[in-house]
Amino acid sequence: MNRHVVVIGGGISGLAAAWELTGGAAGPDASNPEVTVLEASDRLGGSLRSGSVGDRVVDLGPDGFLGRRPEAAELCREIGLGDALVPVGARGAGVWARGRVRPLPDGLTLGVPVRAWPTVRSGIVGWRGTLALGRDVLLPRPDRRGPIGDRAIGPMLSRKLGQRVVDLLADPMIGGIHAGSVDDMSAAAIYPALLAAAQRRGSLMKALRSETTPVPADNPPPLFWALDGGLQHMADRLGSALAERGVTIRPSSVVHSLERSGPDWSVSLDDEQGHHHLEATGVVLAVPAPQAAELVRPHDQEMGGLLAAIDYASVLLVTLRLPPDALGPRRGTGFLVPRRVRRPGTDEGWMVTACTYLTDKWPHLSRQGDVVIRASIGRYGDNRAEGWSDHDVVIGVLDELEALIGLTGAPLSTQVTRFPQAFPQYRVHHLMRTAGIEAAAARLGGLAVAGSAYRGVGIPACIASGRAAARLVR
């Protein structure tokens, strides 16, 4: 049989895998395999979603991607979207602390202070946090453990820099990115420089400064990029480019099982035309870990168990188009809301985890007649809003934003976007679990995994994952 690779999953990881399989930037040639992309939904792109808000296209999923990782910007240029890349137009963000939104201080890396004074001066951590930071400078606590392959970020930081730094800075930032908690989050997978710094003698902040890679002084890349026309434009363009290369793209195709066909694979699926089997010399599983677990469990129980052990968090994004006077003075790109800060007068924490000022962050979205902001809801262990109607979600968000930042008036329009089971949780020893999954796939032969469940949740990391998986099965 001629070589035929089936990519299961039409999110950005699967599309990147198909692009790499067909030659990537170099273009297709006779050595490339035949490629089929199977997507269970009726659209490509996964979490990359864009929609009309007023008279502009706004991202309803991720609104940008890291500029200091090159994979996403490079892929945009490869598919002809280089001119659509838009650099972030505002800097800085805030955090709700001690009764109001306070600007995040300078000298943070992923929410962890590398210098004490800017954080002390910000007023975020209060006098208890100030004492803990001063202790790290003058009388740092030695590590109670020797060199170790992984640690939970929260407890490690709490011992070194104090619990207020964890609760008001590190957890809102790192936990917000992953919709989880740093209490059990893997330092090796998420912040390896912190793990290395914590195992050195002396001040953690000083050690972390030496572990952090400096930003290039000459022509540094933007911190974030967006796409004019929305990030879904990248998925749509990739789909068109892949079709031009002869890739078969089959939306609304639900894969039920993988079966062995000699040394190769047979993919069993249902689509609008009925039940089918596709013969493949290679398969890329670019689907969430629980789905991958069900497909591989008949062939490798251990691999299926490792995949099934990866938990996921659900989130909701509420996009609000508001009159210009609905928001008072604001700074930067938005603010974070700590998980452990209680809403006044209640025993519960805030439902909103972050708010982004989209029309401030991305100047190409700005219009004179409105402002557009977005609130994030949900994290692992907090599913309060999952069963609510869209109307109730909007009412709850407006109520909290009124209390947090004094939001006034009725929105001009609203959109609620739900991402069920979308954020994998990188718990301690996650990289060991990932290595076990990848080794099991290699033993099976002609199989590779890709996506946010393994070595990074951001768009650049997912693209890198897809392209690496393609190289393993081509």
Side-chain angles (χ1 to χ4, degrees), residues 95-97 111 124-125 154-155 157-158 161-175 181-183 336-341 379:
V95 63
W96 174 265
I124 291 171
V125 297
L157 271 180
S158 179
L161 300 182
Q163 191 62 38
R164 292 186 71 82
V165 165
V166 175
D167 291 345
L168 299 175
L169 291 172
D171 191 62
M173 179 73 72
I174 304 172
S181 165
V182 295
D183 291 349
L336 305 168
V337 184
R339 175 170 53 98
R340 288 198 175 97
V341 173
R379 51 166 66 92

Side-chain angles (χ1 to χ4, degrees), residues 333-357:
T333 60
F335 63 93
L336 305 168
V337 184
R339 175 170 53 98
R340 288 198 175 97
V341 173
R342 301 301 178 199
R343 184 171 179 177
T346 75
D347 293 329
E348 290 188 328
W350 299 92
M351 183 173 63
V352 171
T353 61
C355 181
T356 304
Y357 306 139

Side-chain angles (χ1 to χ4, degrees), residues 9 61 66 83 135 150 170 182 191 213 229 240 253 263 265 297 317 320 334 337 341 368 370 375 381 412 451 457:
L66 277 174
D83 292 341
R135 181 186 62 208
D150 201 2
V182 295
Y191 201 167
T213 303
S240 298
S253 296
W265 295 94
R297 200 185 299 274
L317 300 181
L320 304 170
V337 184
V341 173
Q368 285 192 345
D370 61 22
L412 302 173
V457 299

Side-chain angles (χ1 to χ4, degrees), residues 175 267 300 314:
V267 182
D300 192 310
S314 300

Side-chain angles (χ1 to χ4, degrees), residues 254-287:
V254 179
V255 175
H256 294 293
S257 66
L258 293 177
E259 301 164 13
R260 273 295 190 187
S261 178
D264 301 318
W265 295 94
S266 179
V267 182
S268 174
L269 67 124
D270 285 329
D271 61 16
E272 295 173 348
Q273 282 72 49
H275 187 72
H276 308 274
H277 289 273
L278 294 180
E279 303 303 313
T281 55
V283 174
V284 174
L285 291 176
V287 293

Side-chain angles (χ1 to χ4, degrees), residues 316-320 322 351-352 375 377 385 388-402 407 410-411 413-418:
L316 294 85
L317 300 181
V318 181
T319 304
L320 304 170
L322 303 165
M351 183 173 63
V352 171
I377 306 172
W388 294 7
S389 68
D390 286 359
H391 173 76
D392 289 340
V393 168
V394 170
I395 294 299
V397 165
L398 291 175
D399 179 57
E400 290 204 356
L401 291 180
E402 180 183 0
L407 180 69
S413 65
T414 65
Q415 293 199 47
V416 177
T417 314
R418 299 172 185 264

